[in-house]
Amino acid sequence: CVGEEIWVDSRTVYIGHKEPPPGAEAYILQRYPDNRIVSSKYTFWNFIPKNLFEQFRRIANFYFLGIFLVQLIIDTPTSPVTSGLPLFFVITVTAIKQGYEDWLRHKADCSINECPVDVVQQGKVVRTQSHKLRVGDIVVVREDETFPCDLILLSSSRHDGTCYVTTASLDGESSHKTYYAVQDTMAFRTEQEVDSLHATIECEQPQPDLYKFVGRINIYKDKEEPVARPLGAENLLLRGATLKNTQHIYAVAVYTGMETKMALNYQSKSQKRSAVEKSMNAFLIVYLCILISKAVINTVLKYAWQWSPDRDEPWYNHRTENERQRHMVIRAFTDFLAFMVLFNYIIPVSMYVTVEMQKFLGSYFITWDEEMFDEELGEGAQVNTSDLNEELGQVEYVFTDKTGTLTENNMEFIECCVDGNVYIPHAICNGQILSAASSIDMIDSSPGGYRREHEDLFFRALCLCHTVQVKEEETVDGIKRGIHQGRPTSFYISSSPDEVALVEGMKRLGYTYLRLKDNYMEILNKDDDIERFELLHVLNFDSVRRRMSVIVKSSSGEYLLFCKGADSSIFPRVVSGKVEQVKARVEQNAIEGLRTLCVAYRRLSECEYQEACHHLNEAKLALQDREQRLAQAYDIIEKDFVLLGATAVEDRLQEKAADTIESLHKAGMKVWVLTGDKMETAAATCYASKLFRRSTQILELTKKRTEEQSLHDVLLSVDCLDFGLIIDGATLSAVLKANQERAGSGNYREIFLEICRNCSAVLCCRMAPLQKAQIVKLIKASKEHPITLAIGDGANDVSMILEAHVGIGIMGKEGRQAARNSDYAIPKFKHLKKMLLVHGHYYYIRIAELVQYFFYKNVCFIFPQFLYQFFCGFSQQHITMETLKRDPSLYRDIAKNSLLRWPVFLYWTCLGVFDAVIFFFGAYFLFDNTTFTSNGQLMTTNTQMMFGNWTFGTLVFTVLVFTVCFSLPWTHTTGPGSITLSSGGLS
Amino acid sequence: MGKEEQELANRPDNTAFTQQRLPAWQPMLSAGIVIPGFVLIGLAFIGIGVALFITSRSIQVLEFDYTGVEQNSPCFNCTGQKVLNCVCNLDFSIDRPFTGTVFFYYGLSNYFQNFRKYSVSKDDSQLYGDITYFKSPSVTCSPYDYDSNNQPIVPCGSIANSMFNDTFKLNNINGSKVDLVPLDGKGIAWWTDYNIKYRNPSITPLKNAFNSNTVKPIFWSKPAYELDTTDPANNGFINQDFLVWMRRAALPNFRKLYRRIDKGLPIGNYSLAISYNYPVLSFNGRKKVVFSNVSWMGGKNEFLGIAYLVIGSMCVFMSIVMLIVYAKFKFPEED
């Protein structure tokens, strides 16, 4: 069953559809889908049944369909048209809307599927349509073209076998990313050469992670053993990305059509439902009960009343033969259904449509808000879903990311320290190191030569140990930064702003990183000489290791490994160097809220280097568990460091971040900061942003101070009023894990939650992205079921944004992933204040009034009919925006869904019944045996209320419309449109 | 350049609507406004209430039950089984003259014209004079759509079938001189009913339209085209009495206009000759006749005047309470 396993775990792609030489491996023909993208939901044939099925899955639609069918089948007081027409209208409008959207999708699919693609066949370039592409085809893509499917880069027009790609349409990052061709094929220049390639690619089956790819290319040369090369995400060009700054490339298709990573990421987000919608459903159930009991009461009373023979069938109202023969039970049942139909309007038909319309149109107020428009970005707030508008007024917990959210993520190099000597660059210094003047901690008194050596190594390390690219054109989109005196046309681009800040800081200290050319990194040192280092390996940064390394060969032939990373990940691996001095400086910087990195190096002998190469290549070639193997290899290589020094980069707070946090606090919200940063830095940011005040007593629950044994004591010995909690990722997982293992003895989860609830602010540092989501989930699932809001800017916040009730993305510098996955996207953190305190407040009040008003209106409408059965047989905001912003505590008024609680609901319902009684009996007494017109005609003679246009009914109904409409502006706030809306809803 | 344009395109409009700054009227409900306001509203209501109440009191209403349940009732004899063409006389006298136009109603109680099945038991197309519906009445008319010989009934349905058929003659007895009081039956139905909703087929004579294989309603003694023998124009579906009956009452105790007495009723003795045909005892119903005149506000209705008086005095009372509270606590100016 081995073949089966291979089939499941990986796929073999035959480049150019050539079979491998016999005996290499069994030729298993695999079937792949063609390159057709289908984003549409319906086809011409299944549109009507499928769309109807989906619409009637909504309870409200189904209910009205049921009422409509009852009206069709039995003889009821109202004609089927009365419920059929609105239902038909709603269904048709929705169907037309969905049909139109689908038609647009069809059109878009069509244009994508039919766009021309150049394919190499028999050594010639043949033009075909995109949807005819097959896995294994060799594709030619030219500059500024979009990749038609997921491709493995074989060769590029650039001599170093790289190509530049922008993935803006995939993840919003507009910076150029470099992709690499397979070494053995990068020399191919012409179609004929590419076509002569005989190779297979083995890779994993398609999966949606954009940044993960594991594969292997086997190149067969004449009668030699095949050469295997590793393939990673850096070789995989994704569908949807665009080729930039490269004339053309040759690449082979590995995933096509619906199996491309872009298509796999189409999956829609799970639907979030607001608390208002939930309580709306609860109210509906109550009304359904009222409806059923009304119908039952009426049916019972009908038969009780008809008990006396003179009432059952008076001579003037004989039954038909048919009716007489019908069985009593069937008669009673049809009567019951008829009463149900008569009173069915107590459940508002138009409510769902109106609420949806209100939300949809209302959401434009967020997009229209000028105060939430950011000049710098040129963009305002975005609304990705309008379902959660009112939830913005209900938030109790705010989970915020630190970097890029609370802080600007605009890094500035502040200082560095080599062995305890501090170097501070000045903006105006041109290649002058002001080291001696600004050295603060001159603890070191070692000979100058030694110091000089470390200094050189330190600056070189920072110039070499990074993944920064140099862009030499102005026209490139992306993050432009830095002042480029002398060389205004080049600037640095990187996915990490820290790195750019460091390289730029180095430039100001006299060491300029020039470029990476043919695997040689060029540095212009302070003596204006160009130094060249051969780049051998890059040990990429990852959030678990929290460090990155490069292995370079200097011009003198030395092998050097430079590593930079978080202090906690560097210090344990250091064997020599001025650890104490550097550590002291790092801690001091961290307290000041600076981001610190430590730099270390290791000299490798030829033998050590070969060993390291062996480890790395083996891990890179692995098809399974590659991540894990790479981590192991890195662990072996990154050891026995010599500590060089540390750097400090400042990440400034976003403007008005402190003011926003203070307002949220006053509004009764609990603000938690969840960050991957280290505790000291995060705590400093918290103080700066007034999350912690000087008076706040801080409880620390970190690995450094608390071991698991003492966790229990700390958690139980807490009693204080205003305190903040700091917890780190490791402790947090210990808290949560302890619960799972020993559920009986110590339920830390509950105690932890209890403490958190009493804290005014909580800071969670050293968090992995998934842990952020776990925290949100933990709070969501706690007893009170509070409404949570998560706000973040980076890809690492996506999980928490998706988990929280309301997810807000900041259009930040780390790409647009968070904004894309969020429910609302805002340009800056400060906009959160208006979003919650003003928009949230308004939306909540509006929707609450609307829903209650709907029920009130329907009670008023239906109750007179119920009573009748016994006799027949403007634009004001209640609080202005400024007040709301000035006084955040007003937010507490509407917390906990206060306007939609049962007492309020009861109030509205009773008001509805009361008004209905007044209307009915008012009209009843007025009409009681009196002439009403001056020509003596009796108005009372002309009534049948169920049919609408007869006098008694008309009068009651008219009074009702007036009262119900005027009750709105007088008692409540909604907005100018509400009266027209409600009048429309009534009729 | 391009960037600037893009910014302009993305920038939201600065209008009062998009920025939610539409002008709003915010009433400041301070004591200085509320108390005088309440007094004014209260006084206005009391004024209207008094006017309505006095007017209502000045309206005269005279009502007689002639069902004949009691033995001493003049129509007791007519209530027996199988009494045909019974006529009974109801004598009464008027002490205060009825001024202006007097309206003469008949009233029925415990009569449910608002039964759902009953109220729809008619064919509007037929009553609009559409001859094709003469042959096939609507199913809503069942069981009065076809008679036992399967002949279509015109006008069909329970409402028409149960049309009130008591007739009245009012005599003024002045000693031995008996004067017939002229009763005006014109224009007692609704204008819309007479001119729009109901129409006779455009066949002359009217009789021919009905004679083509249709039968009169089962309980009727005369066909529709002979309802009023004195005035040929007052026949068929536009007969005033028929129109009045066809407008169903909303409540089980109701009145319907029978005739108008344009010159009023002076003081004197009167005798009402009732031709008693309509059976009501089987369902415990009552029949009565009512004479009433009207004022500018319509018929006699004390409820409206009382309602205005109650609300008005409540407003005044509330303003006094508020004044006392205000004087006692002297609230500082609301902020």
Side-chain angles (χ1 to χ4, degrees), chain A residues 187-223:
Chain A
F188 293 152
R189 286 285 166 272
T190 61
E191 291 87 45
Q192 287 78 14
E193 278 175 326
V194 172
D195 202 43
S196 67
L197 174 69
H198 198 165
T200 58
I201 291 171
E202 285 171 69
C203 58
E204 56 183 354
Q205 290 294 351
Q207 50 136 323
D209 192 328
L210 292 180
Y211 310 105
K212 242 181 212 161
F213 176 74
V214 183
R216 181 167 58 193
I217 184 165
N218 300 307
I219 300 162
Y220 301 93
K221 283 179 187 147
D222 302 315
K223 282 159 195 156

Side-chain angles (χ1 to χ4, degrees), chain B residues 299-330:
Chain B
K300 193 178 183 79
N301 189 332
E302 288 173 11
F303 172 77
L304 198 60
I306 292 167
Y308 267 102
L309 285 171
V310 169
I311 301 293
S313 29
M314 270 166 68
C315 282
V316 173
F317 176 74
M318 282 311 291
S319 62
I320 293 166
V321 170
M322 280 190 282
L323 196 66
I324 293 166
V325 172
Y326 181 66
K328 207 164 184 182
F329 294 98
K330 273 262 187 313

Side-chain angles (χ1 to χ4, degrees), chain A residues 314-327:
Chain A
W315 64 264
Y316 53 84
N317 189 21
H318 278 299
R319 289 203 186 94
T320 57
E321 275 308 307
N322 243 335
E323 284 170 321
R324 270 190 218 128
Q325 278 159 8
R326 218 173 281 161
H327 192 268

Side-chain angles (χ1 to χ4, degrees), chain A residues 22-95:
Chain A
E25 217 175 290
Y27 183 79
I28 313 160
L29 190 77
Q30 292 180 19
R31 285 182 64 86
Y32 306 113
D34 63 12
N35 197 33
R36 193 183 295 273
I37 281 276
V38 184
S39 61
S40 55
K41 230 164 133 185
Y42 309 107
T43 64
F44 183 76
W45 304 108
N46 72 9
F47 175 71
I48 291 175
K50 200 174 171 187
N51 185 263
L52 282 182
F53 174 74
E54 282 189 2
Q55 289 205 48
F56 283 117
R57 282 205 310 200
R58 287 188 73 165
I59 292 171
N61 284 347
F62 188 75
Y63 168 79
F64 291 111
L65 181 71
I67 293 286
F68 176 65
L69 289 178
V70 168
Q71 281 181 321
L72 275 183
I73 292 161
I74 64 158
D75 175 38
T76 55
T78 48
S79 107
V81 178
T82 55
S83 69
L85 209 63
L87 183 72
F88 179 75
F89 178 76
V90 168
I91 297 282
T92 314
V93 168
T94 320

